[in-house]
Amino acid sequence: MDNKAFYKLTYGVFVLGASADGRDNACITNTCIQVANDPTRIAIAVINKNYTCDLIKESGVFCLTLLNTDCSPDTIARFGYQSGRDVDKFADVSYDDRLENGIRYIPQYTNAVFGCEVIHSIDLGKSTLFIANVT
């Protein structure tokens, strides 16, 4: 198999937010697809060692911010190149926007934000696939 064929798949870039016990975190992900309609459901894959994955497993909810093409490299670096176990990724930001499910999201560089409730998860080894209703 030619693994370069996977370079032809299209991806978005998203900020995946989660919260549990008063702890907010978010990470960058590129894995999300709509898997059903009526009710609308999406599936996301999250690396198990990510702190965000732990918070989703604990709370059962998350938000997914669909980033637009104006997104700054600083935003990608803040949420993607450091661990929420080591730093507060929301420190020094001027906003505290939250969805109805309580999850913090970024209002800048955003095409849309989905609030989601996990209905099923599958352990894939190094990552977990979450299937969720978009609320």
Side-chain angles (χ1 to χ4, degrees):
M1 174 173 58
D2 182 1
N3 285 331
K4 290 181 182 176
F6 290 101
Y7 299 153
K8 304 293 184 187
L9 287 174
T10 59
Y11 295 95
V13 178
F14 315 101
V15 175
L16 175 63
S19 181
D21 296 325
R23 299 166 292 158
D24 297 315
N25 196 59
C27 67
I28 297 294
T29 186
N30 68 348
T31 308
C32 174
I33 58 170
Q34 182 178 349
V35 294
N37 191 29
D38 197 22
T40 303
R41 293 185 174 150
I42 62 171
I44 59 167
V46 186
I47 297 169
N48 283 329
K49 68 179 183 176
N50 284 6
Y51 184 49
T52 304
C53 189
D54 291 344
L55 296 177
I56 294 170
K57 288 177 180 178
E58 188 174 334
S59 69
V61 294
F62 62 88
C63 75
L64 192 71
T65 302
L66 289 66
L67 298 175
N68 64 31
T69 57
D70 296 329
C71 183
S72 73
D74 290 340
T75 299
I76 301 297
R78 172 182 292 272
F79 294 104
Y81 296 136
Q82 55 188 348
S83 173
R85 295 183 201 284
D86 303 325
V87 298
D88 178 356
K89 295 184 183 185
F90 286 101
D92 304 322
V93 296
S94 61
Y95 50 82
D96 188 13
D97 296 271
R98 293 180 185 272
L99 295 178
E100 288 180 14
N101 65 7
I103 306 300
R104 201 167 178 185
Y105 70 95
I106 65 167
Q108 300 168 317
Y109 314 116
T110 301
N111 283 330
V113 181
F114 299 146
C116 301
E117 182 178 347
V118 175
I119 59 165
H120 191 63
S121 63
I122 302 166
D123 186 343
L124 301 174
K126 291 190 177 189
S127 61
T128 297
L129 182 70
F130 294 102
I131 299 169
N133 285 330
V134 177
T135 57

